[in-house]
Amino acid sequence: MKISYNWLKDYLKCDLDPASIADAMTAIGIEVDGVEEEEVIEGGLKGVVVAHVLECASHPDSDHLHITSVDAGLGEPLQVVCGAPNVAAGQKVLLATVGAVLPGDFKIKKSKIRGVESFGMICAEDELGIGNDHSGIKVLPDDAPVGMSAKEYLGIETQAVIEYEITANRVDAASHWGVARDLYAYLKSRGIPCELCRPGVDDFRPGEGESIPVEVLDSDGAPCYTGLTIEGVKVGPSPEWLQKKLLSIGSRPINNIVDISNFVLFELGQPLHTFDADAIIGGKVVVRRAAQDEHIKTLDEIDRKLSSSDMVIANAEGPMCIAGVFGGIDSSVTEKSTSIFLESAYFDPGSIRKTARSQGLQTDASFRYERGADPLIPEYALKRAALLILECAGGHIVGDIRKVCPKPFEKNIIDLDYDRIEAFVGQKIGAAAIDTILESLGYEFLACEGNCRKVAAPSYMVDVTRECDVVEEILRIYGFDNIALPKHMKMSVNATPCPEPEAIRNHIGNFLAANGFSEIMNNSLTKGDYYTSLKTFPAERSVKIVNPLSSDLNVLRQTLILGGLEVVAYNLNRQISNIRTFEYGSVYSLIPGKDSTILDAYEEHPCYALIMTGNPDKSWNSPSGKTGFFTLKGYVELLLKRYGADLYQMWTDAAPSDIFSEGVRYLLPGGKKQLAVMGTVSPALCRKFGIRQSVFAAEIDWKTLFELVRRDKVSFTEMPRFPSVRRDLALLLDEKVSFADLRAEALKTGKKLVSSVTLFDVYRGDKIPEGKKQYALGFVIQDREKTLTDADVERVMDKLLKSFQTNFGAVLR
């Protein structure tokens, strides 16, 4: 959001420079992003000069182009090809010379048009960004000095523009007047000379006749609606001062009527809308809810379908405007309009928010309405706009203001105890200082007794309803930095659980980061279409958002893996193919009730997700390895082993086939709780994200993992003093025999002597019968009490082989 320093000074008379104004804004809670000296028009029209058309002749190969000779004050005349119908010899014009850059980053180059060289461009208003007229070139008065820069001739100034942000509850600061009002209170509380000047509307007078009548059918959606008819207006370009105001904050002028609506919006923060009065069929403005599936064509020429919850401004035939959000094209003001109906209203914030989200629209009007505009300003803003229209477009007011406000707004009445406020703040501020702050902000004092006050909060402070809210306003103006720190500070000491969940999560993050994984953080809101074809995470179990920001953010995620695939696709599109990511976050699902008497339940639980794809970069001193399922499994196994979880002691099951083409699920013994699932992501699923390389993913349930962490008892063992022995066996086995079975049997049979079992080779192929496989197993044998002899080792290996033959039908190769 932007405000112009020069424009702000129209309402706040003070000697502060732009930097000081920015510092004061930040101090009162309006966070300033930066102060920049900006050209009113992009680029400042560098290279554009006043020129004199010396000669003008028709182009020999075109029926609409002209060849002109132009004096730009550069010595020799320039030849310029021009297509404007109104160009003629003797005119003074604005010429963009070769090298000039016009708004929109349009660069002027030497060119050849239909075989004739052209050394510049004679410009129309819209090409220069100083208007909206493209009917022909802009013709200047005869006394315009040739060679003068357009910037100097048009009086285009460089001015300070303050860019800032507001929180959702500070929509009162979304205008020049709102910022000036806050700054006035801040400066006055510090004794800095300043004056607050509110634009006057005392000159407003009702006209003769009857204004177009207004009927409000839903006062809940439109608690206050005002309107005024003005006839005899002349729609055209805005005066120079108005165009400069709008251009200074990046708003492009359109015509005088529309520009005045925008001017009042940015001046007072009150949205307005202007209708062509001739388009109000039936002669009456009706404010109502839309009929279900009713249609309106909006200003962006999109035919929009409305719902029964949307507020519309309608005539006898249908909607003219989506109330508080966007205008309709059929009732818009054009150059042919001579009579207008001006609207200024207060709409229900919840209704506007819902409509804006459902239609996917974010306009300047909806931004203010949905956050709560000032309910008492519509009539004042209407008068302000009407006076400006009479000044800039002529015409006359018809009748008086039409106002429909069934329930007058009442300001919030709040009881204040200054002693309690100062005790809360922790510092004595003084009744006089507090009174000054509140008066400057617009509070009305209803009663005063000692250090107690009864005040009415200003109508623009829609969220101030309690004493604590007023304390926040007082401190905001008084200055948080003026509150001294006490000499002694008290704090409570809370017991920390052991193990501490946050510490464990930090350790896990450090472990993964140390192994080359980058942490990502995705939005919990995601696209509902992702779940339409998944059986593991069916769409009917998605937690749907009532008023989604868009169709891409309409449900809560059921898994972290899909968000990880979005990240993979994003990076692959930017030529980053070797990706390792992890994420910690919650997933959500709906648990439907068993019947109509049982409400649906919602489940939320946190998870870790690991994603790997691509191969590590080649290096001169190490071979390039390949990323695969077992690469990911190794990291998961290391991670879980670090916290006492042995994957070989877990129950296993096949991973869901709609997510993984191959993979495994690990469950706690008993099979009721899932610890982790990992595998190769289904190529079909990858293709939906535009991914054409293998992706490997794992998802670990945090609650289940933390349960294992709590069970794990850390013990310390002396380092072995006696050497270990390594022996290998090559066994022919049935396909159904797993390494986990062999490992468990080896540790059971070898008891305390077999310290580890590894699988270092798997072979299927030549000379191996069908339905068989060959495992090459490595065994580390060690006795902590003595050094093993060859005979001891052979006895252990014989027992292992016999056990494998008996229990698994193994054959020694």
Side-chain angles (χ1 to χ4, degrees), residues 243-280:
Q243 293 191 34
K244 286 183 176 180
K245 295 281 190 187
L246 296 177
L247 288 168
S248 68
I249 58 171
S251 180
R252 187 174 182 180
I254 298 174
N255 61 53
N256 48 8
I257 303 297
V258 176
D259 291 351
I260 288 169
S261 296
N262 290 334
F263 174 83
V264 173
L265 170 72
F266 296 120
E267 178 187 52
L268 302 177
Q270 170 63 21
L272 305 175
H273 191 73
T274 312
F275 301 90
D276 187 329
D278 294 333
I280 304 176

mmCIF file of all heavy atoms in Angstrom, residues 243-280:
data_model
loop_
_atom_site.group_PDB
_atom_site.id
_atom_site.type_symbol
_atom_site.label_atom_id
_atom_site.label_comp_id
_atom_site.label_asym_id
_atom_site.label_seq_id
_atom_site.Cartn_x
_atom_site.Cartn_y
_atom_site.Cartn_z
ATOM 1 N N GLN A 243 -5.103 13.904 -11.856
ATOM 2 C CA GLN A 243 -4.286 12.858 -12.486
ATOM 3 C C GLN A 243 -2.971 12.681 -11.735
ATOM 4 O O GLN A 243 -2.526 11.553 -11.510
ATOM 5 C CB GLN A 243 -4.018 13.211 -13.950
ATOM 6 C CG GLN A 243 -5.250 13.183 -14.836
ATOM 7 C CD GLN A 243 -4.902 13.274 -16.312
ATOM 8 O OE1 GLN A 243 -3.878 12.758 -16.746
ATOM 9 N NE2 GLN A 243 -5.752 13.926 -17.085
ATOM 10 N N LYS A 244 -2.357 13.783 -11.330
ATOM 11 C CA LYS A 244 -1.078 13.685 -10.628
ATOM 12 C C LYS A 244 -1.225 12.981 -9.282
ATOM 13 O O LYS A 244 -0.356 12.207 -8.879
ATOM 14 C CB LYS A 244 -0.488 15.083 -10.429
ATOM 15 C CG LYS A 244 0.085 15.698 -11.693
ATOM 16 C CD LYS A 244 0.723 17.053 -11.405
ATOM 17 C CE LYS A 244 1.377 17.639 -12.638
ATOM 18 N NZ LYS A 244 2.010 18.960 -12.368
ATOM 19 N N LYS A 245 -2.318 13.266 -8.589
ATOM 20 C CA LYS A 245 -2.553 12.602 -7.304
ATOM 21 C C LYS A 245 -2.601 11.088 -7.484
ATOM 22 O O LYS A 245 -1.966 10.335 -6.730
ATOM 23 C CB LYS A 245 -3.873 13.085 -6.698
ATOM 24 C CG LYS A 245 -3.925 14.544 -6.317
ATOM 25 C CD LYS A 245 -3.233 14.837 -5.009
ATOM 26 C CE LYS A 245 -3.516 16.250 -4.556
ATOM 27 N NZ LYS A 245 -2.736 16.643 -3.373
ATOM 28 N N LEU A 246 -3.384 10.646 -8.453
ATOM 29 C CA LEU A 246 -3.548 9.202 -8.659
ATOM 30 C C LEU A 246 -2.264 8.562 -9.176
ATOM 31 O O LEU A 246 -1.872 7.480 -8.727
ATOM 32 C CB LEU A 246 -4.703 8.940 -9.632
ATOM 33 C CG LEU A 246 -6.089 9.380 -9.141
ATOM 34 C CD1 LEU A 246 -7.137 9.147 -10.223
ATOM 35 C CD2 LEU A 246 -6.479 8.637 -7.872
ATOM 36 N N LEU A 247 -1.604 9.233 -10.103
ATOM 37 C CA LEU A 247 -0.360 8.680 -10.644
ATOM 38 C C LEU A 247 0.706 8.546 -9.565
ATOM 39 O O LEU A 247 1.545 7.636 -9.615
ATOM 40 C CB LEU A 247 0.153 9.562 -11.784
ATOM 41 C CG LEU A 247 -0.639 9.496 -13.095
ATOM 42 C CD1 LEU A 247 -0.207 10.626 -14.030
ATOM 43 C CD2 LEU A 247 -0.440 8.145 -13.783
ATOM 44 N N SER A 248 0.681 9.430 -8.584
ATOM 45 C CA SER A 248 1.711 9.412 -7.541
ATOM 46 C C SER A 248 1.692 8.116 -6.730
ATOM 47 O O SER A 248 2.707 7.726 -6.166
ATOM 48 C CB SER A 248 1.549 10.618 -6.615
ATOM 49 O OG SER A 248 0.353 10.503 -5.848
ATOM 50 N N ILE A 249 0.541 7.444 -6.656
ATOM 51 C CA ILE A 249 0.468 6.190 -5.892
ATOM 52 C C ILE A 249 0.260 4.990 -6.806
ATOM 53 O O ILE A 249 -0.131 3.911 -6.359
ATOM 54 C CB ILE A 249 -0.658 6.252 -4.832
ATOM 55 C CG1 ILE A 249 -2.005 6.534 -5.472
ATOM 56 C CG2 ILE A 249 -0.333 7.282 -3.770
ATOM 57 C CD1 ILE A 249 -3.169 6.400 -4.520
ATOM 58 N N GLY A 250 0.497 5.198 -8.117
ATOM 59 C CA GLY A 250 0.452 4.077 -9.051
ATOM 60 C C GLY A 250 -0.916 3.755 -9.599
ATOM 61 O O GLY A 250 -1.108 2.671 -10.160
ATOM 62 N N SER A 251 -1.903 4.656 -9.450
ATOM 63 C CA SER A 251 -3.241 4.440 -9.989
ATOM 64 C C SER A 251 -3.384 5.216 -11.293
ATOM 65 O O SER A 251 -3.224 6.436 -11.309
ATOM 66 C CB SER A 251 -4.310 4.878 -8.993
ATOM 67 O OG SER A 251 -5.607 4.679 -9.511
ATOM 68 N N ARG A 252 -3.723 4.524 -12.355
ATOM 69 C CA ARG A 252 -3.765 5.158 -13.676
ATOM 70 C C ARG A 252 -5.086 5.883 -13.889
ATOM 71 O O ARG A 252 -6.153 5.309 -13.674
ATOM 72 C CB ARG A 252 -3.582 4.105 -14.768
ATOM 73 C CG ARG A 252 -3.445 4.690 -16.155
ATOM 74 C CD ARG A 252 -3.113 3.623 -17.160
ATOM 75 N NE ARG A 252 -2.932 4.183 -18.485
ATOM 76 C CZ ARG A 252 -2.633 3.490 -19.563
ATOM 77 N NH1 ARG A 252 -2.481 2.178 -19.453
ATOM 78 N NH2 ARG A 252 -2.489 4.059 -20.734
ATOM 79 N N PRO A 253 -5.058 7.134 -14.291
ATOM 80 C CA PRO A 253 -6.305 7.867 -14.548
ATOM 81 C C PRO A 253 -7.102 7.222 -15.685
ATOM 82 O O PRO A 253 -6.526 6.720 -16.655
ATOM 83 C CB PRO A 253 -5.815 9.266 -14.946
ATOM 84 C CG PRO A 253 -4.427 9.368 -14.419
ATOM 85 C CD PRO A 253 -3.865 7.989 -14.479
ATOM 86 N N ILE A 254 -8.448 7.274 -15.559
ATOM 87 C CA ILE A 254 -9.332 6.694 -16.587
ATOM 88 C C ILE A 254 -10.223 7.785 -17.169
ATOM 89 O O ILE A 254 -10.145 8.110 -18.343
ATOM 90 C CB ILE A 254 -10.167 5.550 -15.992
ATOM 91 C CG1 ILE A 254 -9.241 4.432 -15.497
ATOM 92 C CG2 ILE A 254 -11.160 5.011 -17.023
ATOM 93 C CD1 ILE A 254 -9.936 3.313 -14.774
ATOM 94 N N ASN A 255 -11.103 8.344 -16.362
ATOM 95 C CA ASN A 255 -11.864 9.529 -16.745
ATOM 96 C C ASN A 255 -12.234 10.261 -15.460
ATOM 97 O O ASN A 255 -12.045 9.734 -14.354
ATOM 98 C CB ASN A 255 -13.087 9.191 -17.601
ATOM 99 C CG ASN A 255 -14.078 8.289 -16.880
ATOM 100 O OD1 ASN A 255 -14.514 8.584 -15.765
ATOM 101 N ND2 ASN A 255 -14.443 7.175 -17.515
ATOM 102 N N ASN A 256 -12.765 11.472 -15.589
ATOM 103 C CA ASN A 256 -12.968 12.296 -14.401
ATOM 104 C C ASN A 256 -13.914 11.671 -13.386
ATOM 105 O O ASN A 256 -13.697 11.780 -12.173
ATOM 106 C CB ASN A 256 -13.441 13.698 -14.790
ATOM 107 C CG ASN A 256 -14.587 13.668 -15.797
ATOM 108 O OD1 ASN A 256 -15.136 12.617 -16.112
ATOM 109 N ND2 ASN A 256 -14.935 14.832 -16.328
ATOM 110 N N ILE A 257 -14.959 10.969 -13.833
ATOM 111 C CA ILE A 257 -15.919 10.377 -12.901
ATOM 112 C C ILE A 257 -15.292 9.218 -12.134
ATOM 113 O O ILE A 257 -15.352 9.153 -10.900
ATOM 114 C CB ILE A 257 -17.182 9.904 -13.652
ATOM 115 C CG1 ILE A 257 -17.824 11.072 -14.412
ATOM 116 C CG2 ILE A 257 -18.160 9.276 -12.676
ATOM 117 C CD1 ILE A 257 -18.311 12.190 -13.540
ATOM 118 N N VAL A 258 -14.676 8.301 -12.862
ATOM 119 C CA VAL A 258 -14.031 7.150 -12.221
ATOM 120 C C VAL A 258 -12.867 7.600 -11.357
ATOM 121 O O VAL A 258 -12.660 7.092 -10.247
ATOM 122 C CB VAL A 258 -13.565 6.128 -13.282
ATOM 123 C CG1 VAL A 258 -12.800 4.979 -12.627
ATOM 124 C CG2 VAL A 258 -14.755 5.593 -14.067
ATOM 125 N N ASP A 259 -12.113 8.586 -11.842
ATOM 126 C CA ASP A 259 -10.952 9.068 -11.080
ATOM 127 C C ASP A 259 -11.364 9.690 -9.747
ATOM 128 O O ASP A 259 -10.664 9.540 -8.738
ATOM 129 C CB ASP A 259 -10.168 10.089 -11.908
ATOM 130 C CG ASP A 259 -9.476 9.459 -13.107
ATOM 131 O OD1 ASP A 259 -9.468 8.215 -13.184
ATOM 132 O OD2 ASP A 259 -8.970 10.205 -13.964
ATOM 133 N N ILE A 260 -12.498 10.383 -9.720
ATOM 134 C CA ILE A 260 -12.964 10.977 -8.456
ATOM 135 C C ILE A 260 -13.344 9.883 -7.471
ATOM 136 O O ILE A 260 -13.055 9.979 -6.266
ATOM 137 C CB ILE A 260 -14.129 11.941 -8.728
ATOM 138 C CG1 ILE A 260 -13.599 13.213 -9.408
ATOM 139 C CG2 ILE A 260 -14.868 12.283 -7.432
ATOM 140 C CD1 ILE A 260 -14.678 14.111 -9.955
ATOM 141 N N SER A 261 -13.985 8.812 -7.957
ATOM 142 C CA SER A 261 -14.304 7.677 -7.070
ATOM 143 C C SER A 261 -13.038 7.096 -6.467
ATOM 144 O O SER A 261 -12.969 6.808 -5.263
ATOM 145 C CB SER A 261 -15.063 6.598 -7.847
ATOM 146 O OG SER A 261 -16.308 7.077 -8.296
ATOM 147 N N ASN A 262 -12.015 6.911 -7.308
ATOM 148 C CA ASN A 262 -10.743 6.368 -6.807
ATOM 149 C C ASN A 262 -10.048 7.351 -5.883
ATOM 150 O O ASN A 262 -9.436 6.951 -4.884
ATOM 151 C CB ASN A 262 -9.834 6.016 -7.986
ATOM 152 C CG ASN A 262 -10.332 4.819 -8.768
ATOM 153 O OD1 ASN A 262 -11.029 3.958 -8.222
ATOM 154 N ND2 ASN A 262 -9.995 4.744 -10.044
ATOM 155 N N PHE A 263 -10.146 8.642 -6.204
ATOM 156 C CA PHE A 263 -9.514 9.657 -5.361
ATOM 157 C C PHE A 263 -10.096 9.628 -3.948
ATOM 158 O O PHE A 263 -9.362 9.642 -2.959
ATOM 159 C CB PHE A 263 -9.712 11.039 -5.990
ATOM 160 C CG PHE A 263 -9.228 12.173 -5.132
ATOM 161 C CD1 PHE A 263 -7.889 12.538 -5.127
ATOM 162 C CD2 PHE A 263 -10.101 12.879 -4.311
ATOM 163 C CE1 PHE A 263 -7.437 13.577 -4.330
ATOM 164 C CE2 PHE A 263 -9.667 13.908 -3.510
ATOM 165 C CZ PHE A 263 -8.323 14.268 -3.520
ATOM 166 N N VAL A 264 -11.419 9.572 -3.840
ATOM 167 C CA VAL A 264 -12.059 9.543 -2.529
ATOM 168 C C VAL A 264 -11.721 8.252 -1.788
ATOM 169 O O VAL A 264 -11.539 8.257 -0.566
ATOM 170 C CB VAL A 264 -13.583 9.718 -2.674
ATOM 171 C CG1 VAL A 264 -14.284 9.530 -1.333
ATOM 172 C CG2 VAL A 264 -13.904 11.100 -3.241
ATOM 173 N N LEU A 265 -11.607 7.165 -2.522
ATOM 174 C CA LEU A 265 -11.215 5.888 -1.902
ATOM 175 C C LEU A 265 -9.856 6.012 -1.233
ATOM 176 O O LEU A 265 -9.676 5.633 -0.062
ATOM 177 C CB LEU A 265 -11.185 4.785 -2.957
ATOM 178 C CG LEU A 265 -10.573 3.450 -2.519
ATOM 179 C CD1 LEU A 265 -11.492 2.725 -1.550
ATOM 180 C CD2 LEU A 265 -10.283 2.560 -3.725
ATOM 181 N N PHE A 266 -8.871 6.559 -1.960
ATOM 182 C CA PHE A 266 -7.517 6.663 -1.413
ATOM 183 C C PHE A 266 -7.379 7.842 -0.445
ATOM 184 O O PHE A 266 -6.468 7.863 0.368
ATOM 185 C CB PHE A 266 -6.498 6.791 -2.542
ATOM 186 C CG PHE A 266 -6.424 5.580 -3.425
ATOM 187 C CD1 PHE A 266 -6.686 5.667 -4.786
ATOM 188 C CD2 PHE A 266 -6.124 4.334 -2.897
ATOM 189 C CE1 PHE A 266 -6.629 4.548 -5.602
ATOM 190 C CE2 PHE A 266 -6.073 3.214 -3.696
ATOM 191 C CZ PHE A 266 -6.322 3.325 -5.054
ATOM 192 N N GLU A 267 -8.294 8.803 -0.529
ATOM 193 C CA GLU A 267 -8.258 9.936 0.387
ATOM 194 C C GLU A 267 -8.881 9.567 1.731
ATOM 195 O O GLU A 267 -8.276 9.762 2.790
ATOM 196 C CB GLU A 267 -9.020 11.109 -0.207
ATOM 197 C CG GLU A 267 -9.058 12.329 0.717
ATOM 198 C CD GLU A 267 -9.963 13.417 0.188
ATOM 199 O OE1 GLU A 267 -11.137 13.128 -0.124
ATOM 200 O OE2 GLU A 267 -9.487 14.559 0.087
ATOM 201 N N LEU A 268 -10.110 9.012 1.708
ATOM 202 C CA LEU A 268 -10.863 8.766 2.933
ATOM 203 C C LEU A 268 -10.961 7.300 3.318
ATOM 204 O O LEU A 268 -11.371 6.978 4.441
ATOM 205 C CB LEU A 268 -12.285 9.323 2.777
ATOM 206 C CG LEU A 268 -12.412 10.809 2.450
ATOM 207 C CD1 LEU A 268 -13.870 11.167 2.249
ATOM 208 C CD2 LEU A 268 -11.792 11.656 3.555
ATOM 209 N N GLY A 269 -10.629 6.388 2.395
ATOM 210 C CA GLY A 269 -10.758 4.962 2.686
ATOM 211 C C GLY A 269 -12.162 4.434 2.481
ATOM 212 O O GLY A 269 -12.448 3.286 2.842
ATOM 213 N N GLN A 270 -13.064 5.228 1.903
ATOM 214 C CA GLN A 270 -14.446 4.806 1.665
ATOM 215 C C GLN A 270 -14.635 4.470 0.188
ATOM 216 O O GLN A 270 -14.522 5.337 -0.677
ATOM 217 C CB GLN A 270 -15.420 5.903 2.072
ATOM 218 C CG GLN A 270 -16.857 5.660 1.655
ATOM 219 C CD GLN A 270 -17.471 4.418 2.295
ATOM 220 O OE1 GLN A 270 -17.005 3.951 3.319
ATOM 221 N NE2 GLN A 270 -18.509 3.884 1.694
ATOM 222 N N PRO A 271 -14.937 3.200 -0.135
ATOM 223 C CA PRO A 271 -15.187 2.835 -1.531
ATOM 224 C C PRO A 271 -16.484 3.475 -2.043
ATOM 225 O O PRO A 271 -17.476 3.584 -1.321
ATOM 226 C CB PRO A 271 -15.308 1.310 -1.490
ATOM 227 C CG PRO A 271 -14.669 0.900 -0.197
ATOM 228 C CD PRO A 271 -14.925 2.031 0.749
ATOM 229 N N LEU A 272 -16.467 3.901 -3.284
ATOM 230 C CA LEU A 272 -17.638 4.442 -3.966
ATOM 231 C C LEU A 272 -17.851 3.668 -5.259
ATOM 232 O O LEU A 272 -16.936 3.029 -5.765
ATOM 233 C CB LEU A 272 -17.448 5.927 -4.298
ATOM 234 C CG LEU A 272 -17.105 6.893 -3.162
ATOM 235 C CD1 LEU A 272 -16.841 8.283 -3.728
ATOM 236 C CD2 LEU A 272 -18.232 6.950 -2.148
ATOM 237 N N HIS A 273 -19.063 3.761 -5.795
ATOM 238 C CA HIS A 273 -19.300 3.185 -7.120
ATOM 239 C C HIS A 273 -20.236 4.106 -7.874
ATOM 240 O O HIS A 273 -21.173 4.680 -7.299
ATOM 241 C CB HIS A 273 -19.904 1.787 -7.031
ATOM 242 C CG HIS A 273 -19.905 1.084 -8.363
ATOM 243 N ND1 HIS A 273 -18.749 0.589 -8.926
ATOM 244 C CD2 HIS A 273 -20.898 0.827 -9.252
ATOM 245 C CE1 HIS A 273 -19.032 0.046 -10.090
ATOM 246 N NE2 HIS A 273 -20.327 0.180 -10.314
ATOM 247 N N THR A 274 -19.956 4.276 -9.174
ATOM 248 C CA THR A 274 -20.739 5.172 -10.006
ATOM 249 C C THR A 274 -21.416 4.397 -11.120
ATOM 250 O O THR A 274 -20.758 3.634 -11.842
ATOM 251 C CB THR A 274 -19.849 6.266 -10.612
ATOM 252 O OG1 THR A 274 -19.029 6.840 -9.588
ATOM 253 C CG2 THR A 274 -20.688 7.347 -11.246
ATOM 254 N N PHE A 275 -22.732 4.592 -11.259
ATOM 255 C CA PHE A 275 -23.511 3.926 -12.304
ATOM 256 C C PHE A 275 -23.927 4.950 -13.355
ATOM 257 O O PHE A 275 -24.173 6.129 -13.039
ATOM 258 C CB PHE A 275 -24.786 3.305 -11.719
ATOM 259 C CG PHE A 275 -24.547 2.283 -10.640
ATOM 260 C CD1 PHE A 275 -24.470 2.674 -9.307
ATOM 261 C CD2 PHE A 275 -24.404 0.935 -10.943
ATOM 262 C CE1 PHE A 275 -24.267 1.744 -8.303
ATOM 263 C CE2 PHE A 275 -24.200 -0.003 -9.944
ATOM 264 C CZ PHE A 275 -24.121 0.396 -8.627
ATOM 265 N N ASP A 276 -24.037 4.494 -14.587
ATOM 266 C CA ASP A 276 -24.683 5.297 -15.621
ATOM 267 C C ASP A 276 -26.175 5.292 -15.310
ATOM 268 O O ASP A 276 -26.822 4.243 -15.323
ATOM 269 C CB ASP A 276 -24.417 4.680 -16.997
ATOM 270 C CG ASP A 276 -24.923 5.552 -18.135
ATOM 271 O OD1 ASP A 276 -25.929 6.269 -17.929
ATOM 272 O OD2 ASP A 276 -24.345 5.512 -19.230
ATOM 273 N N ALA A 277 -26.742 6.461 -14.998
ATOM 274 C CA ALA A 277 -28.144 6.530 -14.565
ATOM 275 C C ALA A 277 -29.093 6.000 -15.633
ATOM 276 O O ALA A 277 -30.156 5.447 -15.310
ATOM 277 C CB ALA A 277 -28.499 7.974 -14.201
ATOM 278 N N ASP A 278 -28.722 6.136 -16.900
ATOM 279 C CA ASP A 278 -29.589 5.652 -17.978
ATOM 280 C C ASP A 278 -29.653 4.133 -18.018
ATOM 281 O O ASP A 278 -30.539 3.567 -18.664
ATOM 282 C CB ASP A 278 -29.099 6.186 -19.323
ATOM 283 C CG ASP A 278 -29.235 7.705 -19.419
ATOM 284 O OD1 ASP A 278 -30.129 8.248 -18.727
ATOM 285 O OD2 ASP A 278 -28.461 8.322 -20.172
ATOM 286 N N ALA A 279 -28.671 3.457 -17.360
ATOM 287 C CA ALA A 279 -28.657 1.983 -17.345
ATOM 288 C C ALA A 279 -29.484 1.420 -16.193
ATOM 289 O O ALA A 279 -29.619 0.203 -16.070
ATOM 290 C CB ALA A 279 -27.219 1.479 -17.257
ATOM 291 N N ILE A 280 -30.039 2.300 -15.356
ATOM 292 C CA ILE A 280 -30.852 1.837 -14.220
ATOM 293 C C ILE A 280 -32.281 1.625 -14.730
ATOM 294 O O ILE A 280 -33.144 2.508 -14.632
ATOM 295 C CB ILE A 280 -30.795 2.829 -13.047
ATOM 296 C CG1 ILE A 280 -29.327 3.053 -12.623
ATOM 297 C CG2 ILE A 280 -31.617 2.323 -11.864
ATOM 298 C CD1 ILE A 280 -29.151 4.079 -11.528
#
